[in-house]
């Protein structure tokens, strides 16, 4: 509009994704602390003379000055990056580590899918995402555990948390052996639908531990239990998203491609009903993920 001058504002953000624009620019997808998910143009970032090209790489925590209306009421929907300072560039620590890099990619894609509306503040998801990347960079817990904890907590924020301590259908409390993705989690014998999975009790315990941040229990679980947990978490997430996440199949989890969930003993616990375009699962850390 005539005479309109774009205002400047600051925020800190996690870089979720970058896309090429023209010959020297990029579009940066950001999850900001105060303004939710937004996209901004970084002009000249692909030139060798760019002052902040390396700071706007995926998975970095950065402090930004942006030009544009933070509420999106005026001007272009794309903001412009005018200044950027790196707070902690986690992506540099993942470049030589395939498991951590692919897990971080799954975290970033999940964060983008859980924020379908641009500029809608989501402080808790921002803190969760930042904490998950921080946990991956520290390497204090297994990559798959961090990824699955993030997915479980992200689903809880979205209102999709799987039922683990009561029947998802009738609400009967207790530990139930069957797990149905379409039903919403653990189900009692009376409510169990055909095709429900029968995970090991330790798998449900691991899902509960990852949700609550009990890392003493989570870190002590065997590989078979972690694999079974990953299959259930991935199926549950993508059922609710109603689409596959492109990055999840790249994460090395050792889950059979048929959708069957291996039990800790190596046998098949039962089929997991695949959501539309299924893939596989993601992370988090208790206090670290909410700082």
């Amino acid at each position: 509009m005539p005479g309109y001058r774009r205002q400047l504002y600051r925020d800190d953000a996690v870089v979720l994704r970058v896309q090429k624009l023209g010959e020297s620019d990029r579009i940066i997808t950001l999850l900001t602390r105060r303004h939710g998910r937004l996209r901004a143009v970084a002009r000249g970032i692909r030139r060798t003379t760019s002052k902040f090209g390396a700071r706007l790489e995926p998975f970095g925590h950065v402090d930004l000055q942006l030009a544009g209306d933070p509420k999106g009421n005026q001007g272009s929907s794309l903001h412009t990056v005018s200044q950027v300072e790196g707070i902690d560039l986690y992506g540099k620590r993942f470049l030589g580590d395939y498991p951590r890099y692919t897990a971080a990619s799954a975290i970033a894609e999940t964060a983008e899918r859980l924020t379908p509306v641009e500029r809608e503040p989501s402080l808790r998801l921002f803190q969760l995402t930042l904490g998950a990347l921080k946990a991956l960079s520290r390497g204090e817990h297994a990559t798959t555990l961090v990824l699955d904890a993030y997915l479980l907590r992200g689903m809880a924020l979205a209102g999709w948390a799987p039922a683990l301590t009561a029947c998802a259908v009738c609400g009967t409390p207790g530990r139930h052996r069957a797990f149905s993705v379409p039903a919403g989690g653990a189900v009692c014998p009376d409510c169990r639908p055909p095709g429900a999975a029968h995970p090991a009790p330790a798998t449900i315990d691991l899902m509960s531990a990852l949700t609550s941040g009990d890392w003493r229990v989570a870190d002590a679980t065997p590989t078979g239990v972690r694999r079974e947990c990953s299959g259930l978490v991935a199926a549950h997430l993508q059922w609710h998203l109603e689409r596959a996440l492109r990055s999840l199949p790249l994460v090395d989890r050792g889950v059979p491609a048929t959708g069957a969930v291996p039990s800790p003993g190596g046998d098949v616990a039962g089929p997991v009903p695949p959501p539309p375009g299924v893939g596989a699962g993601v992370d988090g850390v208790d206090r670290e993920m909410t700082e």
Side-chain angles (χ1 to χ4, degrees):
M1 59 188 294
Y4 171 65
R5 183 176 180 180
R6 307 183 83 187
Q7 67 183 93
L8 298 176
Y9 67 98
R10 297 196 74 89
D11 205 345
D12 67 308
V14 173
V15 179
L16 301 181
R17 183 159 56 101
V18 298
Q19 300 166 269
K20 292 181 179 179
L21 178 65
E23 295 183 357
S24 61
D25 305 337
R26 277 181 178 167
I27 297 176
I28 315 295
T29 301
L30 304 159
L31 180 61
T32 67
R33 183 182 296 273
R34 291 180 290 276
H35 300 93
R37 180 178 60 83
L38 54 83
R39 296 183 304 154
V41 176
R43 302 200 181 280
I45 192 174
R46 290 159 56 199
R47 296 174 183 159
T48 56
T49 56
S50 173
K51 297 180 179 179
F52 49 76
R55 303 172 197 169
L56 287 175
E57 292 295 331
F59 322 133
H61 182 204
V62 295
D63 179 75
L64 297 149
Q65 179 173 275
L66 299 166
D69 182 4
K71 296 183 179 180
N73 296 326
Q74 294 180 311
S76 171
S77 61
L78 285 176
H79 296 194
T80 301
V81 177
S82 59
Q83 291 181 8
V84 58
E85 295 293 336
I87 298 175
D88 208 329
L89 305 180
Y90 300 116
K92 291 183 177 181
R93 308 176 197 176
F94 305 151
L95 292 179
D97 191 322
Y98 179 83
R100 288 200 293 173
Y101 186 89
T102 53
S105 298
I107 289 170
E109 186 178 358
T110 302
E112 189 171 356
R113 294 285 181 259
L114 293 178
T115 50
V117 180
E118 289 193 1
R119 302 186 190 85
E120 183 173 272
S122 184
L123 176 60
R124 293 180 66 187
L125 183 62
F126 169 81
Q127 293 173 326
L128 185 70
T129 304
L130 181 59
L133 295 174
K134 183 186 298 184
L136 279 181
S137 70
R138 292 176 177 175
E140 296 174 355
H141 306 285
T143 297
T144 55
L145 293 180
V146 175
L147 184 58
D148 288 333
Y150 177 83
L151 290 181
L152 285 165
R153 298 180 193 191
M155 286 190 285
L157 292 178
W160 305 333
L164 300 175
T165 58
C167 176
V169 178
C170 68
T172 301
R175 175 184 287 183
H176 303 295
R177 287 298 309 275
F179 189 99
S180 171
V181 171
V187 287
C188 67
D190 294 334
C191 300
R192 183 182 62 208
H198 292 76
T203 300
I204 303 298
D205 292 341
L206 174 57
M207 295 174 72
S208 297
L210 292 175
T211 301
S212 64
D214 189 345
W215 290 98
R216 180 184 60 81
V217 171
D219 290 335
T221 55
T223 301
V225 171
R226 296 180 186 182
R227 290 177 178 174
E228 189 172 48
C229 173
S230 294
L232 293 176
V233 172
H236 193 85
L237 171 69
Q238 293 179 114
W239 178 272
H240 287 283
L241 288 177
E242 298 184 349
R243 63 183 298 178
L245 293 180
R246 292 172 297 177
S247 55
L248 283 183
L250 303 177
V251 179
D252 182 12
R253 293 179 172 277
V255 179
T258 59
V261 180
S263 70
D267 55 338
V268 175
V272 176
V278 150
V282 195
D283 139 270
V285 162
D286 71 315
R287 284 193 307 250
E288 298 167 347
M289 300 193 69
T290 56
E291 288 176 347

